[in-house]
Each structure stands twice: as structure tokens, then as C-alpha cells.
Amino acid sequence: MTTEPISEPETTFRSSKGRTSLVVLGATVFVVLGAWMVIDHTTVKATVMGAVAVLFFGLCDCLAIGRLLRRRPELVLTGEGVTHVMLGSIGWTEIAEVGIREIKVRSSTQRVIELVLRDPVAYLARAPRMARIAGKANLRMGFSPTNISATTLPVDAETVVAAMRRHHPELRVRR
């Protein structure tokens, strides 16, 4: 088993403008609905739910708009590892395995590429702030702290995992 970098040219994935625009549209609709619930004041519960919706979906909106405006790629794969816009850089030696996880929320399913790390605590100590916050929450729920959403990528999760295997053939893929 070798840990030498593969001479494969880097693989770059930019955000899908169409998919990201749909995320912006959806988040904006929920911000407007939440604001309407706050303004309407029908019940305390509705007002609180509206405020939470405005805050949460407002953050989602800001992140998605940032992805639309960003010039750098969403995800870059090289012989050394993975560089994700939110997660930062993770070397292949840090990744024990990858898998595609489906997260069901009510009637919809979101697919994420889960990077199972050998030492999640070491990663979280150096991770970017937003990745650290989300990663700790993921750990508390029993997931890996490093998940790459396939929603805003221009290709499906299987294509990304196949590209990861091209860059690091020894990579274990959980089915």
C-alpha cells in the first residue's frame, strides 16, 4: 500500500449556478414566510417560529448567495487530498473512508458525501469556524464532522466519489 500522491491532474468542481439559484430561491421564500409570521403576531409560537425561520433561512440564503458570487471552486481533488470551500483542506491520510449518506427531512432527501476521518478531534481543532460549529453538531448526532453536500455541485455524489478514487486508489468507499 503506497501513500505517494497520484499524478492525476487536479479535479475541480465549481458550484452549480442552477442548483444554487434554486437554493437561494427556496431560502428566500422561507425568509419571507418567517417574516410574515413575525409581523402577523397571531400567536407567540408562530412569532418565535417565524423568527427562527428568518434567522436560519437568512443564513442559508447568505451562504448560497456567497456561493453564487464566489470565483473559487467549491471542491478540488488532488493527489494530496480534498479542498472544500467550507471544510478547508483534508489530506487523504486523514480520511479513513468515504460514503454517500442520504439524509431524509420530511418528504425530501439530501445526499451528502461523508468523509469519515481517522481523528475527527484533530480536524475540528484546525477547521474553519463554520465547519467546526457544523462538525461538532454532526458528531453529537452520530455523523462524521465532514460532509460535502451534493446539492450545489454540478455532478452527482457518485461522480465525486469516483474522482476521489482516481486521485487516491486506496481510498475505502463505504457502500
Side-chain angles (χ1 to χ4, degrees):
M1 186 157 123
T2 179
T3 58
E4 293 294 315
I6 304 299
S7 62
E8 178 88 17
E10 77 177 25
T11 303
T12 302
F13 297 101
R14 298 200 172 278
S15 291
S16 166
K17 299 295 183 195
R19 289 181 181 182
T20 306
S21 296
L22 288 174
V23 170
V24 169
L25 179 64
T28 301
V29 166
F30 282 105
V31 167
V32 169
L33 288 173
W36 175 74
M37 291 170 73
V38 169
I39 293 168
D40 195 34
H41 298 304
T42 54
T43 65
V44 172
K45 183 178 178 181
T47 303
V48 169
M49 286 175 49
V52 169
V54 168
L55 291 173
F56 177 76
F57 289 106
L59 176 63
C60 292
D61 229 354
C62 290
L63 292 173
I65 289 168
R67 284 184 170 166
L68 280 175
L69 300 176
R70 184 182 319 112
R71 296 195 187 281
R72 68 181 190 179
E74 181 90 6
L75 178 65
V76 178
L77 307 174
T78 66
E80 287 78 37
V82 175
T83 302
H84 185 264
V85 72
M86 297 295 281
L87 301 175
S89 295
I90 303 169
W92 293 121
T93 58
E94 297 177 77
I95 301 171
E97 69 180 19
V98 299
I100 298 172
R101 181 180 288 270
E102 291 188 354
I103 300 171
K104 294 185 189 304
V105 179
R106 297 192 187 223
S107 62
S108 68
T109 302
Q110 181 180 358
R111 300 185 81 203
V112 297
I113 301 161
E114 184 176 39
L115 306 177
V116 179
L117 303 178
R118 297 182 197 287
D119 188 356
V121 175
Y123 165 75
L124 288 173
R126 66 171 171 78
R129 185 167 190 253
M130 287 298 291
R132 193 169 46 248
I133 292 167
K136 287 178 181 178
N138 282 338
L139 275 178
R140 282 192 296 273
M141 293 186 293
F143 302 116
S144 172
T146 50
N147 296 289
I148 300 170
S149 174
T151 303
T152 57
L153 292 174
V155 296
D156 60 20
E158 288 82 5
T159 303
V160 175
V161 171
M164 289 177 169
R165 288 291 308 265
R166 280 195 308 276
H167 287 281
H168 189 68
E170 293 88 24
L171 183 65
R172 272 189 34 205
V173 178
R174 183 184 63 232
R175 303 277 176 208

